[in-house]
Amino acid sequence: MTHWQEALEIWAPAWAAIRDLEDAASEQVLAWPVEGGAFSGAVLHLVTEDPVAAREFAAGLALAETGTAVLLSALTDDLDLVPKLPPDTNLAEVPLENYDAVEVALFDRPVAGGRVKVGDELAVLGGLHVDVPDPDMVVALEAVMIASLGEEAFTHGADRLFLVADAAQAARLAPLGWSQAAQILSFTRQ
């Protein structure tokens, strides 16, 4: 069993928290392959290293695929946790009730943000978004947010980080020390 599977009961609720999911019962996050067939909730996320078989399984249940994401993993020791701010940017860190957030402003205009939820010896990063047209600035700002959020997680005892990203973001983050742990396939009942 891989680390993401062993820690599913910790990182899945943390992922829900950083997405501001108020009704955790509305979705179910399962490691594929699953045992048994009791599925509840309107949304099913299958976390898998075998997306073809997971899609076949979901099709057999008449589930409609609504999206895909990549589950990334990194050790805090393998990441650069010192934010290197581009010129004319400011970083704000905000502890909130369910998670901590960071925001980066360029000339006092918010251009990037992200969230982190720390659990037992791990943390989940998410909501990473950058709103600038320059691809080099996107990479730089993602690195700033990961450094800040990762440092927060490390300070609170997390040695492993998980991040749910789209395919393009996953490709950009690979050189920063992240590796693909699994794919997340999302489905709804028809």
Side-chain angles (χ1 to χ4, degrees), residues 19 21-28 40-45 187-188:
R19 291 180 292 135
L21 185 65
E22 293 182 18
D23 180 14
S26 68
E27 72 176 25
Q28 193 170 13
S40 60
V43 176
L44 174 64
H45 301 289
F187 301 92
T188 59

Side-chain angles (χ1 to χ4, degrees), residues 16-186:
I18 61 174
R19 291 180 292 135
D20 286 326
L21 185 65
E22 293 182 18
D23 180 14
S26 68
E27 72 176 25
Q28 193 170 13
V29 180
L30 299 173
W32 172 260
V34 298
E35 293 183 17
F39 305 112
S40 60
V43 176
L44 174 64
H45 301 289
L46 294 179
V47 187
T48 182
E49 295 171 15
D50 186 357
V52 173
R55 284 186 174 103
E56 289 174 2
F57 168 78
L61 295 176
L63 298 175
E65 188 168 348
T66 58
T68 63
V70 179
L71 178 65
L72 300 174
S73 178
L75 296 173
T76 53
D77 287 345
D78 294 342
L79 299 176
D80 181 359
L81 299 181
V82 179
K84 294 171 182 62
L85 290 168
D88 303 315
T89 60
N90 297 308
L91 175 71
E93 299 173 334
V94 182
L96 299 170
E97 184 176 341
N98 293 325
Y99 52 81
D100 292 342
V102 298
E103 182 177 272
V104 178
L106 175 64
F107 295 115
D108 295 330
R109 181 180 73 85
V111 294
R115 299 172 176 179
V116 63
K117 174 74 174 176
V118 179
D120 292 336
E121 299 180 6
L122 65 83
V124 177
L125 283 63
L128 294 183
H129 63 279
V130 178
D131 182 27
V132 294
D134 180 1
D136 292 333
M137 184 67 105
V138 170
V139 172
L141 292 176
E142 284 178 338
V144 166
M145 289 183 296
I146 287 171
S148 179
L149 294 168
E151 194 274 331
E152 179 70 18
F154 178 77
T155 299
H156 288 92
D159 60 357
R160 178 168 301 275
L161 304 175
F162 290 104
L163 170 65
V164 178
D166 63 31
Q169 189 174 55
R172 287 192 306 271
L173 296 178
L176 300 178
W178 292 88
S179 60
Q180 180 173 326
Q183 290 188 29
I184 300 175
L185 309 176
S186 299

